[in-house]
Amino acid sequence: MPSHVPAAILRALYDHAPLMMGVVELADGGDVLHLTDNAATARFFDASPEALEGRLSGAELGTPAAVLSRWVGAYRQCGVEGGPVRFEYAHTASGTEHWLSILVAPAGTGDNGRDRYLYICEDASARKRAEDGLHEVSTRLSTLVENFQGGVLVEDAGGRIALTNQAFCDLFGIEAAPAALVGASCAEA
């Protein structure tokens, strides 16, 4: 296979990936210099990749200071640790809040001596909404079970107690509080 094919394949993956990706450097003053950003990143920010290239995230692209600080902190952390760092946060773009899941990793050093980093970013808003909805349902179920007059015990797929109530403990003469049973094996309880 000719040597230019692997680079072309990598470029196609980068250009057409559904995940936001790019390479940046930490700039003076705690800012982030965008060296290259893929099309998914540009679409997210209603820009073109060329419009982001060579621009400072805070000073020129308007990234809020708290958001910029979170990214810079992650880049510095992966530089110190020498490996990837993951983080998530809520980000508002085009008036809509998105939950972003990010991986940043060291990407060598530029000709200017500055450390470079790559990022891969996924819009995890749908997952976050599902988690929040599941948490809300779980809270409601817990409240229902705790206040139910009959004895209730809910076990997880692994056979461990996930939830029980005082009426259950009273019914079976268990002196422990319901919360103390959570995580115990149903077979041993």
Side-chain angles (χ1 to χ4, degrees), residues 106-180:
T109 304
D111 293 339
N112 59 6
R114 289 186 178 159
D115 291 334
R116 291 186 171 175
Y117 302 92
L118 63 88
Y119 69 86
I120 300 172
C121 179
E122 175 183 20
D123 186 342
S125 300
R127 177 187 50 85
K128 182 65 173 162
R129 283 190 300 274
E131 287 174 357
D132 290 348
L134 184 59
H135 178 71
E136 184 178 326
V137 168
S138 177
T139 300
R140 287 181 181 177
L141 177 61
S142 294
T143 301
L144 176 66
V145 168
E146 289 168 10
N147 294 308
F148 188 67
Q149 297 303 310
V152 178
L153 181 136
V154 178
E155 68 179 72
D156 64 18
R160 301 215 171 268
I161 298 171
L163 181 64
T164 190
N165 64 0
Q166 188 61 51
F168 179 87
C169 293
D170 294 344
L171 182 65
F172 290 98
I174 299 170
E175 294 185 17

Side-chain angles (χ1 to χ4, degrees), residues 8-66:
I9 290 171
L10 288 175
R11 187 72 207 183
L13 284 170
Y14 178 76
D15 288 341
H16 302 292
L19 300 175
M20 294 174 263
M21 301 180 194
V23 178
V24 301
E25 288 180 354
L26 292 182
D28 296 331
D31 214 332
V32 174
L33 178 66
H34 289 257
L35 301 176
T36 180
D37 300 280
N38 72 349
T41 303
R43 277 191 305 275
F44 185 79
F45 291 105
D46 293 326
S48 68
E50 298 77 22
L52 300 173
E53 189 175 316
R55 308 270 311 273
L56 293 170
S57 193
E60 297 176 304
L61 299 174
T63 301

